[in-house]
Amino acid sequence: MKPFKKLASYILVVSLLASCATPNPVIRLKSKETNTTWESGKEFTSYFKDGFVVHCAYHGTTGAYLVFDIEVINSTDEDFLVCPEKMVMFTDSGKWDPVINQIVYSTFPIYAADPELEILKNELAQSQLEANQKNLATASIAVAALALPVMVATASADAKDTKQRAVNRTEVAAAAAGTTLNFAEFSQEMNNIRSDQIYASTDAWINNSLRKTTLSKNESVRGLVYFKKPDLKKYRDLRIDVPIGENNFISFNYKVNLYYPSNPNVNPAYR
């Protein structure tokens, strides 16, 4: 093998190794409260305060969210409006700032997603997608209609042309029209996939999430609450505040544990 071929092979191998994906850690949140109960594999922490009972458990993680299973019970004499978008996540952990040479503690709040807003955004996206699908169908018909006279004209010209050609113009015109139509079919299929994803997302927000609900005395509401996921390699201590009245809330504290596939038997939360 010539030297430049060896060098090229070496560079290729190094590039492939450098581009290998590193597995993300598996996330588990552990309640800092020792007095907990379990239901279907979820560890619930429960607190009573000022006539309200709130149960909270870590439910799981999606690509964008940390998800919690939360139930609010109102035992007061006053009606209370539960608004998931008013639930807040804080982090008390700090990270080292080399510029100022000290630990900086995060003060940002992360408000829970508003299911009503997410449903609206999905419906708007679905409406736009349906318009795109109609436009694609119209474009496909237009391309087919325009391609027909072109193929007829080029076929007539080719019939009179005695010069040798590997591919005549009729075949080129037909291939161009076919390519355009195939692209439209591909786009249509991608739109169908996207539509299914939007419908599934909307169904989850409607049927699984904690929706805005007015609770009268001894009434309760339960559902999943979604918080945008912070960088959990930096922030390991999380607090969730659930409002239970005017300027009043119940807090739940969690420790973030990260498990890596290379060593699943060890909890490397502080590694």
Side-chain angles (χ1 to χ4, degrees):
M1 182 182 290
K2 293 182 179 180
F4 76 90
K5 288 187 176 180
K6 290 182 178 179
L7 178 60
S9 298
Y10 175 76
I11 293 174
L12 177 61
V13 171
V14 171
S15 299
L16 290 173
L17 290 175
S19 63
C20 290
T22 302
N24 291 321
V26 174
I27 299 167
R28 291 290 185 272
L29 267 60
K30 175 67 176 176
S31 174
K32 292 185 178 180
E33 175 63 65
T34 57
N35 185 17
T36 60
T37 56
W38 289 81
E39 177 192 298
S40 300
K42 290 185 281 191
E43 185 179 18
F44 279 88
T45 303
S46 305
Y47 292 117
F48 173 83
K49 181 179 180 181
D50 294 344
F52 287 88
V53 177
V54 180
H55 307 285
C56 180
Y58 170 65
H59 176 80
T61 306
T62 69
Y65 294 102
L66 291 178
V67 188
F68 294 83
D69 188 341
I70 295 178
E71 181 179 15
V72 180
I73 303 170
N74 178 17
S75 60
T76 70
D77 294 326
E78 301 292 330
D79 288 351
F80 176 70
L81 178 60
V82 176
C83 298
E85 69 274 14
K86 292 184 178 180
M87 299 180 184
V88 191
M89 174 186 289
F90 297 92
T91 173
D92 298 324
S93 297
K95 59 180 180 178
W96 183 259
D97 189 330
V99 177
I100 61 176
N101 202 36
Q102 67 181 36
I103 294 177
V104 176
Y105 289 90
S106 175
T107 58
F108 69 87
I110 302 176
Y111 285 89
D114 181 354
E116 313 314 315
L117 178 59
E118 297 301 323
I119 292 169
L120 174 60
K121 290 194 294 186
N122 280 353
E123 290 176 346
L124 291 172
Q126 186 64 41
S127 177
Q128 182 62 58
L129 197 59
E130 290 172 358
N132 293 344
Q133 290 173 332
K134 292 178 181 178
N135 291 335
L136 277 172
T138 302
S140 299
I141 294 172
V143 167
L146 291 172
L148 181 59
V150 173
M151 287 187 285
V152 171
T154 53
S156 177
D158 286 329
K160 299 175 183 178
D161 192 348
T162 58
K163 294 181 181 180
Q164 181 176 340
R165 282 177 174 78
V167 180
N168 62 41
R169 287 171 292 175
T170 308
E171 293 168 335
V172 172
T179 299
T180 305
L181 291 173
N182 287 337
F183 176 76
E185 291 172 359
F186 173 77
S187 298
Q188 180 70 38
E189 185 60 30
M190 294 303 294
N191 281 345
N192 290 339
I193 294 173
R194 176 60 181 151
S195 179
D196 290 342
Q197 292 174 337
I198 292 174
Y199 277 125
S201 173
T202 303
D203 182 71
W205 285 111
I206 291 174
N207 296 307
N208 299 331
S209 67
L210 179 63
R211 306 283 298 276
K212 187 175 294 185
T213 304
T214 298
L215 299 180
S216 297
K217 184 175 182 178
N218 296 327
E219 290 184 343
S220 67
V221 63
R222 177 180 175 181
L224 300 182
V225 179
Y226 297 76
F227 294 90
K228 282 289 186 180
K229 186 165 55 179
D231 186 349
L232 297 177
K233 293 181 181 179
K234 296 179 181 178
Y235 305 112
R236 300 295 183 81
D237 297 286
L238 304 177
R239 187 182 88 240
I240 295 173
D241 287 353
V242 178
I244 56 169
E246 191 68 27
N247 298 320
N248 202 1
F249 53 85
I250 291 177
S251 296
F252 298 86
N253 294 281
Y254 288 89
K255 175 68 67 178
V256 177
N257 293 328
L258 303 180
Y259 297 88
Y260 292 84
S262 58
N263 194 2
N265 295 321
V266 177
N267 176 7
Y270 295 98
R271 189 170 63 183

